[in-house]
Structures are given as structure tokens and as C-alpha cells.
Amino acid sequence: MNFVDARNCPADPASRESLEARGLDYRVSTAGERADYLRAVSRGFLEKEPSASSLATPEGHPERRSIGVFDPSAVQPYPIATVESWVTPLTVPGGELSMWAISNVTVAATHRRRGVARAMLEGELRAAKTAGVPIAGLTVTEATIYGRYGFAPAAPNATVKIDSKLVGWQAPEPAARILYVDREQLATDLGELHERTRGERIGDIAGWEHRWQQHAGLDTAAEHPEKIRGVRAVDASGATVGSMAFRLVEGADYRQHTLRVQHLVAATPDARAALWKFAIDHDLVAVVEASEQPIDDPLLWQVHDANRIEQTVSEHGWLRILDVPAALAARRLEGGFGVRLRVTDPLGLADGAWTVAQLGADGVQIEPLADGAEADITLDVGALSAAYLGAVRLETLQAAGRVMGSADRIRAFSDALRARTQPHLSIVY
């Protein structure tokens, strides 16, 4: 699959014109402005001021396109708003497609409520559409913002908290062995295993070196990196089949540590079980915590008392379809069906009507709906984006007022969109 390089995509002219009318300069940020750009990102996320060493270290996705909004009247040279993007493979049922990943969306507190975020986000969507990328995605810190732009949560995840003293392991003893590794090897293992396995996780995307360095405690901005440790799981042949980065946090006394999983990735169910058992059985540990976990994790069925595992499900991966035919054609659709589909889009990027059918061995057929023909199903682009990976059924969205039409056709299309596993976006971007 060929992927567009977002760095070759110019700043959206409509957004540039809109912000110019307000006295603001919207443009691609240069390499020479990178330090001030990172200071603005840290300020936007209420983080501490970056150190000189962290500013001097290459960070982020290597193919990122950094957009800054600058106020010529500002005293500091920092951009007053930021957004970054790159194009990455997104795993979908039965395959993958290119996705416009959006990250580091910030607006300075001094420039809120001036339409800056709207101009940036709509600019990103128009840029992606112009580049021929069929879908955009992001992970969010403020969920109330992104629905108005057509995004919807499509890949939920779970945060788990385990009472390791009482939960009890009851599954068969895993065959994989657990071995400690140093942090440099840990970063390598995490990256290699993620790339090897991401095609099995619906909703996951490709990682990048800096992300694994952060998990392994090699990032210059990491707090107490010396507390991060790593292990790998190896099979009978000695091959690496799992990896886990974790840190230990002392509790009320030295026997009550919390083991916080930074990242866990496994190539086999046995390796995953071995890593979890290692964490749960760790000496002097009372609690195990982990985020970005799959909501259908078999762990709940591998312990004596699943009530000792608190699982909190939350929104994580948000998607926004930009090209309905391309997005539907890229993923496996289940069974035989035929529907007339109408998608509404307030931004006008993905609206339209099509017949979507899969009636034989030729795969899905998608054609524009004939003029004057009525649709069986009408839904907004956010609803289709939410259901795209199979995390939510269309009947649920119908009950919420987001999908309208024939109950039989809605059910048929919902069945076609089902996935064999729950989506799992394993990283933040």
C-alpha cells in the first residue's frame, strides 16, 4: 500500500485565509522553530517547561507535519496553537488502510474561543481529503471537542486495576519463560513486537521509535526513568514472543508496591498469559495497574476471582471517515447483504449516497445511488465512523437517534460491519 507523506501537504488555504482575517498566521512550522513549537505543546497540555536536553533530542513521529498558528503581537515567539499529523496504516477487519493521524492539538489559554481550533481541525480534514487519505484518527484529552468535526469513538480501551494478593491465577501454567532485559533492549523489543503483531489488532496503527523510547524510560523528559524495568517472554525455541515495560511504585510499606504496566505486547496468547502472571505473582506487589488494554482481554477468565479486577472502559481511538466508498472497500464485510446507504456530513467531506452490496464471490460492490432513489439507511458520518471497526452496532446508534431507516436493513448492515474481535488501539498518539 502506498502512503502519502503528510510533510508534502501544504497548510490548508481556507484555514489560512480564515485565520489571517483575525490577524493570525497559520502555516507549516519550520525545523528552526521546533524548540518553541515544543514549548507551546507543553504549555497547552499543562506540562512542565521542557528541558534544554529534551528540546535538543529528536522526538515525535519522524514523518510528522507540524502546523503552527502565530500571533504577531505575542511577546513570546511560540505559536499560540499547534497541530501535528502524519499518515499511518490503520488495521481494519481483514486488512488495513491509510489514516491521517492527528496529534498535539493545543490552543493557548490566551486565544481560546476565537475559532482557532476549528480552523486547524477543519484544515487537517481538508488536507487529508485533498491528499486522498480516506480516514482520519486521533486520541483525545477532551472528548467534547471532536464530535462536531465528525469524529467518533471507534476503538475503546480498558484501564485495569488488579488486587494481586487476592485475584489468584487459575489458568494453566504458561509455557513461555520471562527474562529481564535492559532499557535499550526493551525499547527494541517493544517496537519489533508491535510491528509484528499490529495487523492482528483492529484499530491499531504503526508505532515509531520515540514512542518505544518513552515507554522504556529512554526519553530525556521521562521522570524517574531508573524506575522503569523491562522483561521479555521467550518460547521454547528462545524466540522473543512478548515484552512488558513496567515501573514499581512503593505503597504504604515495602510489601505493598504497585506494579504499573507501561506497555505490554505479545505475539501469542501464551506469552500474554506469561507476562500477566509475572506481574500478578511479583513479590512485594499488592496492586497491578495497566491502561490501553483490550476490553475483551482473556485475563478475566484466567484468574480465580475476576471481581478483584477493576476494569474501566473509556473512549480511546477516535475515527472520522473522509471517503465512504474507499473506507468500506478496505475492510472485510461479513455475509451477504445489500443496502442503500446515505451519509450526511456537516462539513461536506464525506456526504453522499451509495448502494453497498455483497452478494457473491466478487466482494463488496459500491456504486452511487441512482438519482431519485430512496436510501434504506441514513446516518451521520460520526455514527458510521463509530461503527466502522465493529465496536458498536448500528442498532445501538439507531436507539440513540443517530441512524434512521429500515430496521431490517440496519440490522443487515450492522451484521456486515461486525468484527471477530473488539478493536484495540494499543498506544496513544
Side-chain angles (χ1 to χ4, degrees):
M1 179 180 292
N2 294 323
F3 289 92
V4 173
D5 190 332
R7 293 171 295 181
N8 297 328
C9 300
D12 176 66
S15 291
R16 184 175 62 246
E17 182 179 342
S18 171
L19 291 173
E20 189 177 63
R22 302 170 212 185
L24 302 174
D25 181 18
Y26 165 90
R27 56 180 170 81
V28 176
S29 184
T30 67
E33 296 168 326
R34 188 64 185 168
D36 285 342
Y37 192 94
L38 293 175
R39 291 186 179 100
V41 171
S42 295
R43 181 181 62 191
F45 286 115
L46 308 185
E47 298 170 349
K48 66 181 182 180
E49 183 78 10
S51 66
S53 60
S54 66
L55 291 174
T57 303
E59 57 76 49
H61 195 281
E63 297 176 358
R64 62 183 177 266
R65 165 188 180 265
S66 302
I67 292 282
V69 180
F70 297 81
D71 184 346
S73 69
V75 177
Q76 291 179 317
Y78 311 167
I80 56 90
T82 63
V83 62
E84 292 191 318
S85 52
W86 63 93
V87 179
T88 184
L90 168 71
T91 302
V92 300
E96 66 179 27
L97 81 165
S98 61
M99 184 192 82
W100 189 273
I102 298 172
S103 184
N104 282 343
V105 180
T106 74
V107 178
T110 52
H111 288 71
R112 296 174 69 248
R113 302 291 186 265
R114 300 189 191 183
V116 177
R118 175 172 291 278
M120 289 196 306
L121 286 164
E122 291 184 0
E124 289 298 310
L125 295 176
R126 285 190 292 266
K129 178 75 172 181
T130 300
V133 180
I135 198 165
L138 44 74
T139 55
V140 308
T141 52
E142 294 185 81
T144 57
I145 295 173
Y146 296 96
R148 70 193 71 167
Y149 305 107
F151 287 94
N157 72 5
T159 297
V160 297
K161 182 177 181 180
I162 304 168
D163 182 339
S164 59
K165 297 291 189 183
L166 297 176
V167 70
W169 188 265
Q170 73 166 355
E173 184 72 19
R177 294 185 301 127
I178 302 298
L179 304 172
Y180 279 102
V181 296
D182 60 32
R183 290 201 296 274
E184 288 75 14
Q185 186 62 58
L186 174 62
T188 299
D189 287 354
L190 291 173
E192 290 180 350
L193 279 160
H194 179 86
E195 187 61 26
R196 193 197 315 173
T197 61
R198 65 174 173 80
E200 302 166 9
R201 290 186 295 275
I202 297 168
D204 219 349
I205 66 170
W208 58 98
E209 184 178 6
H210 186 247
R211 175 58 76 238
W212 311 128
Q213 291 176 340
Q214 288 175 314
H215 283 316
L218 299 175
D219 179 54
T220 54
E223 292 189 13
H224 301 295
E226 71 280 0
K227 293 186 177 181
I228 295 178
R229 293 182 170 89
V231 292
R232 63 163 52 156
V234 297
D235 65 13
S237 71
T240 300
V241 289
S243 178
M244 182 171 68
F246 65 96
R247 70 167 65 227
L248 293 165
V249 181
E250 190 170 346
D253 62 58
Y254 73 94
R255 296 166 298 181
Q256 302 293 318
H257 283 73
T258 292
L259 187 153
R260 290 181 180 159
V261 176
Q262 304 286 108
H263 193 73
L264 187 158
V265 57
T268 66
D270 180 77
R272 187 172 183 87
L275 290 168
W276 271 124
K277 188 173 187 298
F278 168 84
I280 290 170
D281 288 349
H282 201 293
D283 290 337
L284 308 180
V285 166
V287 176
V288 177
E289 296 176 344
S291 58
E292 279 82 60
Q293 298 305 303
I295 63 175
D296 56 354
D297 197 323
L299 176 64
L300 295 171
W301 300 94
Q302 293 173 310
V303 297
H304 279 292
D305 188 355
N307 290 317
R308 300 295 178 174
I309 300 179
E310 297 178 17
Q311 185 184 53
T312 304
V313 177
S314 60
E315 301 164 345
H316 181 46
W318 290 54
L319 294 180
R320 205 282 190 198
I321 291 174
L322 297 165
D323 184 331
V324 172
L328 292 178
R331 61 149 292 172
R332 179 182 59 239
L333 296 171
E334 303 290 345
F337 69 95
V339 297
R340 293 173 296 186
L341 181 70
R342 182 175 300 280
V343 177
T344 62
D345 183 349
L347 300 185
L349 297 172
D351 49 7
W354 302 268
T355 60
V356 185
Q358 184 166 261
L359 304 175
D362 295 332
V364 63
Q365 304 294 314
I366 306 172
E367 300 290 343
L369 188 63
D371 291 342
E374 292 188 6
D376 301 317
I377 304 171
T378 298
L379 73 171
D380 63 85
V381 68
L384 182 59
S385 299
Y388 178 66
L389 298 179
V392 60
R393 288 189 62 85
L394 291 181
E395 293 95 327
T396 301
L397 297 170
Q398 179 188 22
R402 300 284 296 272
V403 180
M404 295 164 285
S406 161
D408 289 345
R409 295 297 86 204
I410 290 171
R411 187 180 308 113
F413 192 43
S414 187
D415 288 344
L417 289 170
R418 71 184 183 273
R420 298 170 188 177
T421 60
Q422 282 289 329
H424 178 210
L425 172 60
S426 66
I427 58 176
V428 176
Y429 62 93

